[in-house]
Amino acid sequence: MSHARNDGPEGAAKSEIPEAPGTEVPGALDPAAPGTAPGAEPGPRPPAAKPASRPGKGKVKSTRISGTWIAVIVAIILLVFLLVFILQNLDTATVHFLGVSGSMPLAVAMLFAAIAGAALVALIGGARILQLRKQARRRR
């Protein structure tokens, strides 16, 4: 079945007579507007007007202290998780390092290994930073 007369899926025929100016129906779809076909997504909306801002009101700027507080909170959360990990892994493990052996809780041995790895990364990173600063001074 074809829709030769632009019948919609509902079967209602559209009027062939143009409407007189000023006789628009409130809430009716504008056929010339993009995205107004039945079932189509609405088009982009124009940006809303910003309310007039008053001095002292509005977005609060972040500061170094606020960043520090966020870092402290994250560090406390990580330390709590670390403490829970250590308390749940208290099984004794024998550790051998450079000819020395000893026994300690498994979680503590893993913690020492993680600290040693972080220290190694910090040393290498610090050396690279010093190298870059030296190059920057030479270029000035």
Side-chain angles (χ1 to χ4, degrees):
M1 175 178 199
S2 74
H3 296 285
R5 295 187 318 163
N6 291 332
D7 290 346
E10 308 84 34
K14 292 183 180 177
S15 173
E16 305 272 338
I17 304 169
E19 294 183 52
T23 60
E24 294 86 16
V25 177
L29 297 175
D30 181 10
T36 56
E41 293 292 323
R45 292 184 176 194
K50 294 182 179 179
S53 62
R54 293 178 283 169
K57 299 287 182 179
K59 186 177 178 183
V60 177
K61 292 182 181 180
S62 61
T63 62
R64 289 183 186 176
I65 295 175
S66 66
T68 303
W69 273 109
I70 291 172
V72 166
I73 291 170
V74 169
I76 289 171
I77 292 170
L78 289 175
L79 285 174
V80 167
F81 282 123
L82 184 63
L83 182 63
V84 168
F85 175 77
I86 290 172
L87 291 175
Q88 288 181 346
N89 293 287
L90 291 177
D91 297 334
T92 302
T94 303
V95 179
H96 302 278
F97 183 68
L98 297 175
V100 178
S101 64
S103 61
M104 64 178 66
L106 176 64
V108 174
M110 292 177 70
L111 179 61
F112 284 151
I115 290 171
L120 182 64
V121 169
L123 286 173
I124 294 170
R128 179 65 178 151
I129 289 171
L130 290 175
Q131 183 184 33
L132 290 173
R133 284 183 182 174
K134 189 176 181 180
Q135 284 179 359
R137 269 190 250 124
R138 286 181 188 167
R139 290 182 184 169
R140 286 186 207 165

